[in-house]
Amino acid sequence: MDIRRCHFGSDALKEEQRFVDIQNVVQFVLEIDKLKAVLRKVKPVGESRYENTAEHSWQIAVFALSLAGTLRLAIDVSQVIAMLLVHDIGEIDAGDKFVFAQDGWEERKAAELRAVERIFSFAPDAMAKILLDLWKEFDAGETAEAKFAKAIDRSMPVLLNLSNGGGSWIENGVSYERVLARVGPEIENGCPELWAFVKRQLDSAREHGFFAPTHA
Amino acid sequence: MDIRRCHFGSDALKEEQRFVDIQNVVQFVLEIDKLKAVLRKVKPVGESRYENTAEHSWQIAVFALSLAGTLRLAIDVSQVIAMLLVHDIGEIDAGDKFVFAQDGWEERKAAELRAVERIFSFAPDAMAKILLDLWKEFDAGETAEAKFAKAIDRSMPVLLNLSNGGGSWIENGVSYERVLARVGPEIENGCPELWAFVKRQLDSAREHGFFAPTHA
């Protein structure tokens, strides 16, 4: 114990602890500022630059809020939003990984876990645990909320590519079949109504040449 | 009524309505993509570019989540986060307005209201109303949730400027006294503990020359 604190009464001690807690929250919030510099593979509609993970996280949170409310889903949308706000924070250390990368996903998951353990630990202990639990719930994908959150997260870049004439699919040689195989199951699993919509858009885009050719 | 619909049974009708609802949510989510191109006056820590309003909205949502939880505030943090996610969407039409601008705030508010009415109307009617109610609750600043949300929103650029050697204060000739007068009351009103922290940081920054000189 710091001997200087003996001069304070318990109120002053409590106030000092609160000050330290706020300082730790602020250090956490400034550490995650780095997510604004993590670039993804898709571009905002009509923009020449790539989007970053911070603005992506905002957009999917609003997407979840408005879609869950519209469909009157019997899930805790606040939990979904909280998960979406923090699920990509590990990219500060691990970077964005292209969803159509073929391998390295196990190592990737371990790297992201190490990253969020480091980053969340800036926050006071109790809050760090809450943040880590949100991250783990999303990652496990077992609750209805996590499944819906994953469906939203997977859909958003698809919707942006559909608005950008194919976007990252064309840039990276991704075929219609690979898109369906990679994003279809998670979107359908978390929100079948959304998948019905997205699938129809993908089929239409296929006719307009939004994908790389299918390999034999 | 569209006569073609008479060929469908009620399940098909319901499914078709749901498809249209999802389409409208998606159009809304793509319209707000434009917030990624609205630039603010502060920069991410250590970056040479200005931050945009989309990534700012994400950061303050995480800030609210972690601070309200840490301080165990008796408020609905989900409502705070929902407000913060949508409160700046009007900037898509109205642009960002520097918080230290001296006048034009009434016209500004009217312009932002027109903007969100236009933008939220992309979403299905019931959801558009929910979004507008969130925007209006934040704007009115009367509920404990709106006051806390405003405190978070006002603090974040202060914390970024403090991390950037003065940032937009130096760039725009803003004195220590103007910062205190402009952001102090709203932060203190919404979260006195946060203001106690921020005030101490501002006082320290003053000694390090983070502000423009005070005018006589």
Side-chain angles (χ1 to χ4, degrees):
Chain A
M1 189 186 171
D2 187 336
I3 195 73
R4 289 167 302 171
R5 289 203 173 164
C6 295
H7 297 294
F8 297 130
S10 70
D11 276 2
L13 257 178
K14 204 172 150 190
E15 198 176 313
E16 190 61 23
Q17 181 57 50
R18 206 160 45 197
F19 189 89
V20 172
D21 283 345
I22 293 176
Q23 189 164 45
N24 290 336
V25 169
V26 166
Q27 282 174 340
F28 165 65
V29 169
L30 290 171
E31 179 66 19
I32 65 168
D33 199 64
K34 295 173 183 167
L35 202 61
K36 298 173 183 170
V38 175
L39 296 187
R40 291 165 48 84
K41 305 297 178 291
V42 298
K43 297 173 179 174
V45 181
E47 297 282 328
S48 58
R49 69 171 179 92
Y50 292 96
E51 71 169 357
N52 67 61
T53 305
E55 57 197 352
H56 160 70
S57 298
W58 164 76
Q59 189 169 33
I60 56 178
V62 180
F63 189 12
L65 173 70
S66 46
L67 187 61
T70 294
L71 296 178
R72 298 169 192 274
L73 300 179
I75 58 172
D76 179 354
V77 67
S78 307
Q79 186 75 2
V80 173
I81 290 172
M83 273 189 269
L84 288 173
L85 290 173
V86 306
H87 84 287
D88 267 343
I89 285 179
E91 293 186 1
I92 287 171
D93 293 352
D96 176 59
K97 186 173 167 79
F98 191 40
V99 65
F100 295 101
Q102 301 277 18
D103 40 37
W105 288 100
E106 280 307 310
E107 300 83 337
R108 164 70 189 194
K109 186 178 284 195
E112 275 203 70
L113 177 58
R114 280 196 304 276
V116 291
E117 283 174 342
R118 180 189 75 74
I119 297 160
F120 294 160
S121 73
F122 279 92
D125 289 350
M127 182 48 58
K129 184 182 180 320
I130 290 171
L131 296 167
L132 191 60
D133 285 347
L134 286 167
W135 187 90
K136 286 180 175 174
E137 181 179 343
F138 179 89
D139 183 61
E142 287 166 3
T143 63
E145 285 76 13
K147 287 175 186 167
F148 182 72
K150 278 181 186 278
I152 292 289
D153 185 42
R154 282 280 176 257
S155 302
M156 198 64 242
V158 172
L159 298 170
L160 290 176
N161 277 345
L162 286 168
S163 296
N164 278 329
S168 70
W169 300 323
I170 299 285
E171 282 179 29
N172 296 281
V174 178
S175 68
Y176 166 85
E177 287 77 8
R178 272 181 75 195
V179 173
L180 248 60
R182 184 67 178 92
V183 307
E186 275 185 332
I187 301 176
E188 188 165 25
N189 187 40
C191 188
E193 306 92 329
L194 178 59
W195 177 240
F197 173 82
V198 171
K199 175 67 164 56
R200 224 196 274 185
Q201 305 298 113
L202 288 170
D203 288 347
S204 168
R206 185 187 199 182
E207 290 167 25
H208 291 87
F210 280 27
F211 302 93
T214 307
H215 297 292
Chain B
M1 189 188 168
D2 186 336
I3 193 74
R4 289 170 301 171
R5 290 206 173 161
C6 295
H7 296 294
F8 296 131
S10 71
D11 276 2
L13 257 178
K14 205 172 151 191
E15 199 176 313
E16 191 60 24
Q17 181 58 49
R18 204 159 49 196
F19 188 89
V20 171
D21 283 345
I22 294 176
Q23 189 164 45
N24 290 337
V25 168
V26 167
Q27 281 173 341
F28 165 65
V29 169
L30 290 171
E31 179 65 21
I32 65 168
D33 198 64
K34 295 174 183 167
L35 202 61
K36 297 173 184 170
V38 175
L39 295 187
R40 291 164 47 84
K41 304 297 178 292
V42 298
K43 296 173 180 174
V45 181
E47 295 283 327
S48 58
R49 70 172 179 93
Y50 292 96
E51 70 169 358
N52 68 61
T53 306
E55 58 197 351
H56 160 71
S57 298
W58 164 76
Q59 189 170 33
I60 56 178
V62 180
F63 189 12
L65 173 71
S66 47
L67 187 61
T70 295
L71 296 177
R72 298 169 191 274
L73 300 179
I75 58 173
D76 180 353
V77 67
S78 307
Q79 185 75 1
V80 173
I81 291 171
M83 275 189 267
L84 289 173
L85 290 173
V86 306
H87 83 289
D88 267 342
I89 284 178
E91 293 187 3
I92 287 171
D93 292 352
D96 176 60
K97 185 171 168 81
F98 191 40
V99 64
F100 295 101
Q102 301 277 17
D103 40 38
W105 287 100
E106 280 308 310
E107 299 85 335
R108 164 69 189 194
K109 186 179 284 195
E112 275 202 71
L113 178 58
R114 279 195 304 276
V116 292
E117 283 174 343
R118 180 188 74 75
I119 297 160
F120 293 160
S121 73
F122 279 91
D125 290 350
M127 183 46 59
K129 185 180 179 321
I130 290 171
L131 296 167
L132 191 60
D133 285 347
L134 285 168
W135 188 90
K136 287 181 175 174
E137 180 179 344
F138 179 89
D139 183 62
E142 287 166 3
T143 62
E145 284 76 13
K147 287 175 186 169
F148 182 71
K150 278 182 187 278
I152 292 289
D153 186 41
R154 282 278 177 260
S155 303
M156 198 64 242
V158 172
L159 298 170
L160 290 176
N161 277 345
L162 286 168
S163 297
N164 278 329
S168 70
W169 301 323
I170 299 285
E171 282 180 27
N172 297 281
V174 178
S175 68
Y176 166 85
E177 288 78 7
R178 274 181 74 198
V179 173
L180 248 60
R182 183 66 177 91
V183 307
E186 275 185 332
I187 301 176
E188 188 165 25
N189 187 41
C191 189
E193 304 92 328
L194 178 58
W195 178 239
F197 174 82
V198 171
K199 174 69 164 56
R200 222 196 274 187
Q201 305 298 115
L202 288 169
D203 289 347
S204 168
R206 185 188 201 183
E207 290 167 26
H208 291 88
F210 280 26
F211 301 93
T214 307
H215 297 295

